[in-house]
């Protein structure tokens, strides 16, 4: 059994300058852990997006959304 989870937020606040960005730079799959679930082992597959900050002077430029476990 394999579950793909993803954050549903359309954008994310940049941790460097706190401005909102909805420009997705890229995304990748992460496999945090396989968790026991009612006797079945579920492999959790998480799509994590990297956003591009729109602020030209921002020190971060790009950042990854924080997905709660
Ligand atoms: Zn920024």
């Amino acid at each position: 059994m394999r579950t793909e989870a993803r954050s549903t937020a359309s954008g994310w606040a940049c941790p460097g300058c706190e401005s909102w960005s909805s420009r997705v730079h890229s995304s990748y799959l992460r496999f945090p852990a396989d968790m026991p679930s009612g006797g079945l082992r579920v492999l959790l597959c998480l799509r994590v997006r990297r956003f591009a900050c729109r602020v030209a002077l921002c020190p971060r430029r790009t950042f990854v959304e924080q997905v709660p476990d």
Side-chain angles (χ1 to χ4, degrees), residues 19-41:
S19 79
W20 188 259
S21 174
S22 56
R23 239 176 70 195
V24 177
H25 183 260
S26 59
S27 72
Y28 59 92
L29 288 173
R30 214 176 67 183
F31 302 93
D34 44 352
M35 321 181 295
S37 167
L40 289 170
R41 285 173 74 79

Side-chain angles (χ1 to χ4, degrees), residues 1 5 14 21 26 36-38 43-44 55 61-62 68:
M1 189 176 178
C14 172
S21 174
S26 59
S37 167
L43 180 62
L44 185 68
V55 179
R61 309 301 298 274
T62 66

Side-chain angles (χ1 to χ4, degrees), residues 37-52:
S37 167
L40 289 170
R41 285 173 74 79
V42 178
L43 180 62
L44 185 68
C45 163
L46 201 61
R47 182 164 293 279
V48 181
R49 292 169 299 174
R50 175 175 287 275
F51 289 95

Side-chain angles (χ1 to χ4, degrees), residues 13-21 52-63:
C14 172
C17 65
E18 296 186 341
S19 79
W20 188 259
S21 174
C53 185
R54 291 173 300 178
V55 179
L57 295 175
C58 177
R60 295 294 294 259
R61 309 301 298 274
T62 66
F63 58 93

Side-chain angles (χ1 to χ4, degrees), residues 2-14:
R2 194 166 148 132
T3 311
E4 184 171 333
R6 68 171 70 207
S7 160
T8 51
S10 61
W12 209 260
C14 172

